[in-house]
Amino acid sequence: MVIEASSLIPGAVRLDDVLQELLRLLQTTSAHLSGEQLGARLGLSRTAVWKRIERLRALGYQVEGSSRRGYRLAPGQDLLLPADLSAALPLRWLQAPVYHFVSLPSTNDAAKELARQGAPEGTLVLSETQSAGRGRLGRTWESPPGTGIYLTLLLRPPLPPAELPKLTLLAAVAVVEAIQAATGLITGIKWPNDIIFQGKKLGGILTEMETESDAMRHVVLGVGLNLNTPEFPDHLREIATSLASTGQTYSRLATVRAFLAAMAGLYGRFLNQEFPAILDQWRQLTVTLGKTVTIRRGNDVYSGLALDVAPDGALLLARADGTIEKILSGEIQQASYS
Ligand code: BTN
């Protein structure tokens, strides 16, 4: 189910039904389709088709050709079309709405707004680019179009707020599993939930919630992945990476589908009291345990050996004076994440 939402979300741009259908038609073949052929399928004149093609180009889609030669999608574009996303939903969230945007300030903010308006669990918000993507600790999340994945999943777990860190760790496991399933590549988790590839940051997770008395009203679980991002601004070049560093590019749709499948499975197990086993998976996938790390939490800085994670997801740090510090949230300070 794809839902009209641009009126609900300030600053949102989405494809209308005709543009979606036009893209879908273009996607079905690598040959040129004439304006007449497209017009016949869409019930539009050739001029109206041309105007729609221009609109797609203005939105960033690369369409080659002209009304005389016909049109085709420039090869190598990794499209994420709303209908494909709907078809990628796992059984658990099959009935949930999908909101696909060409552009949005932040998928987390949009998902919060939709949650306040009663959107159901499993609602998926995805945008090709974000103008105000947010990272942890108030940072900006660079969200260039066409190459990265920026999505938010809305959850409504019937649990107390203290369970939130568990959900974030679980999501990191889902992302690593999804990347392996979709690309065959092995990534790791830097506590609590940075996704690391070859020592640099490939992605991150931003989980936010609203509470009501002592329960979560809703959780928005945002995932940002620099899947095929070809280059990074100067300030990120040393610490960020993408899978394009392998010399290949990978399907965003396959990765989103694999993430949703992994997430649905892990979330079901989590609700079924199986978090200890999920935490064991996290331990297998982390690059943090066994390393000497420095962690910043607000103005406090802690250094020590990362021993383990506690059952609630807190990091257990052995300090030089022999004490063990339990750290529920914070950020590991390292130039390299290996
Ligand atoms: C981090 O700092 O590591 C977390 C980054 C999370 C970024 C994602 S992109 C999709 C979602 N929408 C946002 O504004 N942020 C998250």
Side-chain angles (χ1 to χ4, degrees):
M1 195 187 348
V2 178
I3 302 273
E4 175 64 54
S6 39
S7 54
L8 300 177
I9 314 290
V13 179
R14 66 179 292 275
L15 299 168
D16 66 23
D17 290 349
V18 179
L19 290 181
Q20 284 184 39
E21 184 57 13
L22 177 53
L23 268 175
R24 206 189 58 74
L25 289 170
L26 291 168
Q27 199 188 20
T28 55
T29 173
S30 55
H32 284 80
L33 290 172
S34 70
E36 208 169 316
Q37 285 170 313
L38 289 168
R41 297 292 293 271
L42 296 167
L44 296 175
S45 68
R46 279 173 54 192
T47 313
V49 169
W50 170 77
K51 280 191 184 151
R52 299 286 177 157
I53 295 279
E54 289 299 303
R55 175 73 183 138
L56 284 180
R57 287 174 173 153
L59 291 175
Y61 293 93
Q62 294 166 38
V63 187
E64 295 177 345
S66 63
S67 52
R68 260 187 331 128
R69 279 179 37 224
Y71 304 101
R72 66 168 198 168
L73 283 176
Q77 280 174 93
D78 183 26
L79 293 189
L80 267 180
L81 296 182
D84 294 337
L85 289 171
S86 291
L89 292 180
L91 203 55
R92 180 175 200 101
W93 296 311
L94 209 53
Q95 301 297 324
V98 172
Y99 296 90
H100 168 274
F101 296 92
V102 175
S103 173
L104 200 62
S106 153
T107 56
N108 266 30
D109 292 348
K112 277 185 206 170
E113 185 52 41
L114 293 164
R116 287 180 200 125
Q117 308 200 11
E121 173 158 286
T123 295
L124 178 68
V125 182
L126 183 144
S127 191
E128 295 286 341
T129 179
Q130 301 180 112
S131 54
R134 293 186 291 107
R136 292 176 69 228
L137 309 171
R139 298 201 179 108
T140 297
W141 188 260
E142 297 288 334
S143 313
T147 53
I149 294 172
Y150 320 108
L151 66 77
T152 299
L153 185 64
L154 171 63
L155 299 173
R156 296 183 179 278
L159 295 170
E163 298 283 296
L164 188 71
K166 295 184 183 173
L167 263 181
T168 320
L169 295 186
L170 175 165
V173 173
V175 172
V176 169
E177 284 186 349
I179 292 170
Q180 182 166 9
T183 70
L185 296 173
I186 305 291
T187 54
I189 304 169
K190 188 187 79 160
W191 182 86
N193 50 17
D194 282 354
I195 309 301
I196 303 301
F197 181 60
Q198 295 176 343
K200 292 184 176 182
K201 182 158 171 168
L202 175 73
I205 295 163
L206 179 64
T207 322
E208 300 174 291
M209 70 175 158
E210 276 185 18
T211 58
E212 165 171 62
S213 40
D214 199 28
M216 298 186 202
R217 182 183 291 148
H218 59 250
V219 173
V220 297
L221 194 148
V223 178
L225 270 183
N226 315 321
L227 201 71
N228 298 316
T229 306
E231 54 186 14
F232 294 91
D234 285 349
H235 68 285
L236 293 178
R237 207 158 288 150
E238 290 296 306
I239 55 171
T241 192
S242 86
L243 300 184
S245 64
T246 61
Q248 289 189 54
T249 55
Y250 299 89
S251 160
R252 290 186 301 160
L253 179 62
T255 308
V256 170
R257 186 189 292 120
F259 167 71
L260 293 172
M263 191 63 207
L266 288 162
Y267 182 64
R269 288 171 57 205
F270 171 63
L271 294 180
N272 208 21
Q273 316 295 332
E274 291 178 45
F275 186 70
I278 296 171
L279 201 54
D280 279 342
Q281 285 175 264
W282 187 95
R283 287 187 181 98
Q284 300 295 317
L285 299 174
T286 186
V287 296
T288 298
L289 298 184
K291 298 252 166 67
T292 299
V293 296
T294 299
I295 296 185
R296 181 175 291 278
R297 187 177 60 192
N299 290 329
D300 299 328
V301 175
Y302 305 87
S303 289
L305 178 70
L307 276 186
D308 197 3
V309 273
D312 58 3
L315 187 68
L316 299 175
L317 204 65
R319 307 185 74 178
D321 63 5
T323 57
I324 302 227
E325 191 78 39
K326 186 176 171 192
I327 304 184
L328 245 181
S329 68
E331 181 168 70
I332 297 180
Q333 307 278 289
Q334 271 172 272
S336 161
Y337 298 109
S338 51

